[in-house]
Amino acid sequence: MAYFERIDSLTVRPTAHTGGAWTQSEQHIAPALGLLAHLVEVDRDARRDDGLPLVRLACDILGPVPVQPCTHEVRVVRPGRTIELVEATLSHGGRAVAVARAWLVAAGETSALEHSDLPPMPAPGDTEPWDPSSVWSGGFIESVEVRRAAVEPGRGRVWVRTDVPLVDEPHSHLAAAAGLLDIANGMNVLASPREVLFPNVDLTAHLFRQPEPGWLGLDTTVSFGPAGHGLTSSVLHDERGAFGTLAQVLTVRPVSPSA
């Protein structure tokens, strides 16, 4: 069973694997954002079949998404043969619930210039298995395998993977990886989610190369400010090394003792 099943050309059905961590009647937004990346890549009604690689995914989360069928729409904001900006929207009940804008940029030969000073992560085999259901609940959390290293409040290195397909149709390794990115905000919490709510309102990933299949690495730091705002920042890795960065803006809400 995939995270999403196709109903028709414009509608998908979320499965139990999408169950949310904050509220199980709502979708965890991670698979939905991966679905939007997939739609950007494959929607041939809106785009040419040009194979332009996705290099930035900027998502805005407009509200909770129930575990119910959703519709989607893709449009080209800035067409181009080498650089293109594409927008994908996921809706439920006629209301947009998540929007992703993606820059796609033509590939070129720069292997002789390849370099990054972003610090490496310990390999998945050198990190310890960790059960995220010790902190979170929900179908999505139950669907992933996690390993963690160098863990302290708000700081840690995590490897995550899943054997659940993103959607029951062909999709790229990048879309599958995009469907795991949003987990970063919950893997090295700065405060217990039973005491503080800290959902993210967006997610932005910048990539300087395409991710390889397998484990997704998240070298993550969580910061809370003094006025109800926070930031989860990650360097993205596969087993070859770093391939991009991720940021999520948080709304930080202490839980009332009477709640």
Side-chain angles (χ1 to χ4, degrees):
M1 181 190 295
Y3 288 109
F4 294 97
E5 297 173 342
R6 175 66 64 187
I7 297 177
D8 57 40
S9 62
L10 296 177
T11 312
V12 293
R13 177 188 296 110
T15 69
H17 291 312
T18 66
W22 296 105
T23 303
Q24 295 188 43
S25 62
E26 298 170 359
Q27 293 182 45
H28 196 296
I29 202 64
L33 301 186
L35 176 67
L36 291 176
H38 166 64
L39 295 170
V40 165
E41 291 188 313
V42 304
D43 192 313
R44 298 299 170 238
D45 293 331
R47 298 188 56 244
R48 299 182 304 272
D49 186 8
D50 50 24
L52 292 180
L54 190 155
V55 298
R56 189 208 70 176
L57 183 69
C59 305
D60 292 308
I61 303 162
L62 306 180
V65 191
V67 185
Q68 297 176 13
C70 295
T71 59
H72 54 74
E73 179 182 8
V74 177
R75 71 183 185 97
V76 177
V77 179
R78 190 273 192 192
R81 295 189 178 277
T82 59
I83 300 176
E84 191 162 75
L85 180 63
V86 182
E87 181 181 272
T89 303
L90 191 68
S91 299
H92 174 264
R95 176 181 64 89
V97 292
V99 178
R101 278 194 167 194
W103 280 108
L104 300 99
V105 178
E109 175 49 56
T110 57
S111 58
L113 301 172
E114 184 176 5
H115 176 78
S116 174
D117 284 328
L118 292 171
M121 280 181 56
D126 296 330
T127 56
E128 294 296 321
W130 180 65
D131 180 7
S133 66
S134 62
V135 177
W136 302 100
S137 60
F140 175 69
I141 292 299
E142 294 172 358
S143 76
V144 298
E145 178 184 358
V146 177
R147 290 176 169 267
R148 293 202 308 182
V151 175
E152 57 187 74
R155 182 75 184 95
R157 297 178 177 90
V158 169
W159 291 100
V160 59
R161 67 180 177 183
T162 181
D163 59 4
V164 178
L166 177 65
V167 61
D168 62 349
E169 61 192 32
H171 56 279
S172 69
H173 300 310
L174 183 145
L180 295 173
L181 293 177
D182 191 72
I183 203 171
N185 186 40
M187 294 296 96
N188 302 284
V189 298
L190 191 57
S192 167
R194 288 176 289 276
E195 299 173 355
V196 180
L197 305 180
F198 46 92
N200 54 303
V201 300
D202 81 336
L203 177 150
T204 303
H206 291 90
L207 313 180
F208 59 86
R209 68 170 173 83
Q210 298 296 286
E212 297 183 352
W215 289 97
L216 170 68
L218 300 158
D219 187 348
T220 298
T221 301
V222 182
S223 304
F224 288 173
H229 308 128
L231 177 66
T232 295
S233 303
S234 305
V235 177
L236 302 175
H237 294 255
D238 55 23
E239 292 185 74
R240 177 180 162 191
F243 66 85
T245 61
L246 174 70
Q248 299 160 278
V249 171
L250 318 178
T251 172
V252 181
R253 309 169 189 171
V255 176
S256 169
S258 61

